[in-house]
Amino acid sequence: MNTLLGSVFWLLVTLGVLVTFHEFGHYWVARRCGVKVLRFSVGFGKAIWKRIGKDGTEYQVAVIPLGGYVKMLDAREGDVDPALAGQEFTGKPVWQRIAIVAAGPAFNLIFTVVAFWLMFMLGKPDIAPLVTAAPQSLAAQAGIHPGDRVLRIDGKPVATWSDSLEAVANAMLGREPLPLDVRGTDGAERHVVLPLQELPAGQGIDQYLDKLGLKPAPLPAVAAIVTEGDPAQAAGMRGGDRLVSVNGQPVADFDAFGNLVKDEAAKSPRLTIAIERAGQPMTLTVTAVKKSFEGRPAQWLIGIRPPQPEEALVRYGPAKALAASLGTTWDRAMSIFNMIGKMVSGQASTKNLSGVIGIAQVANASASMGATWFIEFLALVSLSLAVLNLMPIPVLDGGHLLYYLIELVKGSPLSERAMMAGQYVGLILLFTLMGLAFYNDIHRFLPS
């Protein structure tokens, strides 16, 4: 499956699962409160599939899969049969209407907790937080050395590279100094401070990460696997040999070795490669060949593979996984609120907003990394939907909740005119946010 088709497919899976769960929350609570549900729709527009249930509800899947809705019996939308007056939405007590509206975000929150719990139960394959710093970057200036292991970020322990990246990315929004505790390759622990305050205002996280220059440590210059029948084996190289130099040019890591092989073989395929085996230096003459590997464009190769990065698998039993899930849900929710607050105040750039295209790309990437990575992605999107829908913007669930809270305080509903005015304002805000997110998605495709 190519990237475009994969992105579209996994976007549809993501929206299908999360929208259905969200709308089922409204539907389930509405039915428990005695409200008649006329239609349960996944998607908008013309129905491509529908049927009438035994309860009289019309269930459908519509052609535009970017959302969904539950249509309830509502006196504001037309005359109601007196026989069904007791099942009409606006006639219900305000606390029941609050429960029905809040159920969608609540079910998204429940989905998030369950998804994180399942992720921690299954275990998410990751790599250890071994890092390096790009030359002249902020991380290099702070004192990050090649092969440093990150132990704690802002006092909180981290066990994986993705946990480290998440913590650093969140801290970048505030552009304040970030303390790290690391252990060097010599075994000694050090305290360093990333000078995030030096990041320029008004840029996106991707640009900040480039300027920071904190990256996973490169793989060591070791021929972990020497493939049978290829030039390296023919020249006498063995698995475990340490790669020292190519044509007299020293190599620091496996990537640097591969680049040197390509550059030098382009001049002459016959290469002099210095290695170290069991502490003894040796020199081999290897004749590189140009061929395609795993569907990639043809390049100069000698037939060796690097060692695998150090794995870091976080896996818990049911009880500990639940505790970890609740803690992660809380931390990620606070991160979302923090990001929203900083964007509203101008501290963080709106360039960090992402729309449908960005979600589709991440959906495809996470699905390709494995089931637990996609489960985590679903949990994060579900949590984002819960937070977004609780924002006090008319047309969203949070806007309706605001109307009902005002009704509780003043003792009577808002006028229909005031509610309609709020709906128009809400639509303008919502379409502005969607347009900005779409612009950001498109802009990421364009050259810098």
Side-chain angles (χ1 to χ4, degrees):
M1 186 182 295
N2 64 39
T3 302
L4 177 60
L5 290 178
S7 297
V8 172
F9 175 78
W10 290 112
L11 173 67
L12 294 178
V13 171
T14 299
L15 294 178
V17 170
L18 299 183
V19 167
T20 300
F21 208 78
H22 177 97
E23 298 303 332
F24 181 75
H26 293 309
Y27 167 85
W28 189 81
V29 175
R31 292 291 304 274
R32 295 303 175 277
C33 291
V35 175
K36 182 173 179 59
V37 178
L38 303 177
R39 181 181 299 133
F40 184 110
S41 179
V42 177
F44 299 110
K46 185 178 180 180
I48 56 177
W49 174 90
K50 65 180 176 181
R51 73 174 184 86
I52 306 296
K54 293 180 180 179
D55 55 2
T57 300
E58 180 182 81
Y59 300 90
Q60 72 172 33
V61 176
V63 68
I64 305 174
L66 303 180
Y69 63 92
V70 170
K71 180 178 175 62
M72 291 171 269
L73 186 64
D74 194 320
R76 295 169 297 185
E77 298 178 3
D79 295 333
V80 175
D81 185 339
L84 299 176
Q87 301 179 58
E88 191 267 331
F89 176 76
T90 61
K92 294 297 180 180
V94 65
W95 67 267
Q96 288 191 346
R97 283 178 275 145
I98 289 175
I100 292 169
V101 170
F107 268 55
N108 277 135
L109 192 60
I110 292 169
F111 182 95
T112 300
V113 172
V114 172
F116 277 138
W117 176 76
L118 184 60
M119 180 195 77
F120 283 119
M121 284 276 289
L122 296 174
K124 187 182 74 171
D126 208 330
I127 60 174
L130 298 172
V131 299
T132 190
Q136 310 304 317
S137 65
L138 293 179
Q141 295 172 26
I144 294 293
H145 301 154
D148 279 349
R149 182 185 295 269
V150 180
L151 304 175
R152 290 171 292 277
I153 297 180
D154 200 15
K156 296 181 180 180
V158 292
T160 66
W161 164 247
S162 59
D163 286 345
S164 303
L165 187 62
E166 175 75 19
V168 171
N170 286 335
M172 285 177 172
L173 296 174
R175 294 188 296 115
E176 296 177 354
L178 180 65
L180 271 67
D181 294 307
V182 301
R183 181 186 297 124
T185 54
D186 59 357
E189 291 191 16
R190 306 191 316 278
H191 183 78
V192 299
V193 178
L194 300 180
L196 302 186
Q197 75 278 6
E198 296 182 22
L199 295 170
Q203 295 188 349
I205 291 293
D206 289 346
Q207 293 169 298
Y208 284 163
L209 288 171
D210 287 341
K211 288 181 171 60
L212 179 62
L214 188 70
K215 302 176 181 180
L219 298 174
V222 174
I225 299 175
V226 179
T227 54
E228 188 174 350
D230 277 339
Q233 186 197 46
M237 193 175 292
R238 300 177 188 174
D241 286 348
R242 191 171 73 84
L243 308 166
V244 178
S245 68
V246 178
N247 288 352
Q249 300 180 60
V251 295
D253 54 65
F254 196 88
D255 285 344
F257 175 82
N259 290 331
L260 271 175
V261 166
K262 286 186 289 185
D263 293 342
E264 293 299 309
K267 302 172 187 175
S268 171
R270 190 177 175 84
L271 306 173
T272 301
I273 299 180
I275 65 169
E276 186 177 290
R277 180 183 299 163
Q280 298 299 315
M282 300 177 63
T283 301
L284 304 176
T285 300
V286 183
T287 302
V289 294
K290 194 170 189 179
K291 63 179 182 179
S292 176
F293 179 69
E294 294 183 348
R296 301 171 189 168
Q299 57 183 323
W300 291 104
L301 302 170
I302 64 171
I304 63 172
R305 296 183 186 178
Q308 292 295 312
E310 182 182 335
E311 294 183 356
L313 179 67
V314 178
R315 179 185 290 162
Y316 303 130
K320 191 172 181 180
L322 179 58
S325 171
L326 292 170
T328 301
T329 300
W330 173 262
D331 289 342
R332 296 300 176 88
M334 292 302 100
S335 295
I336 294 172
F337 282 117
N338 179 48
M339 183 173 184
I340 292 172
K342 290 188 182 301
M343 283 196 291
V344 170
S345 67
Q347 288 180 272
S349 172
T350 53
K351 293 178 181 178
N352 294 303
L353 283 174
S354 189
V356 173
I357 297 175
I359 293 172
Q361 290 177 311
V362 179
N364 184 53
S366 61
S368 67
M369 293 170 69
T372 47
W373 282 88
F374 187 65
I375 290 170
E376 181 187 40
F377 168 75
L378 288 177
L380 292 172
V381 176
S382 185
L383 182 60
S384 297
L385 286 174
V387 172
L388 176 66
N389 273 284
L390 286 173
M391 293 178 67
I393 298 175
V395 310
L396 296 179
D397 293 331
H400 293 293
L401 289 173
L402 179 63
Y403 289 155
Y404 300 144
L405 291 174
I406 293 173
E407 180 179 338
L408 275 176
V409 172
K410 68 190 290 283
S412 61
L414 281 173
S415 69
E416 192 164 330
R417 183 176 180 181
M419 293 179 69
M420 286 301 296
Q423 296 290 84
Y424 285 125
V425 172
L427 282 171
I428 292 171
L429 287 172
L430 192 59
F431 280 118
T432 299
L433 285 173
M434 291 173 63
L436 183 57
F438 184 73
Y439 169 81
N440 288 342
D441 286 344
I442 295 297
H443 188 69
R444 291 185 184 107
F445 285 104
L446 301 177
S448 308

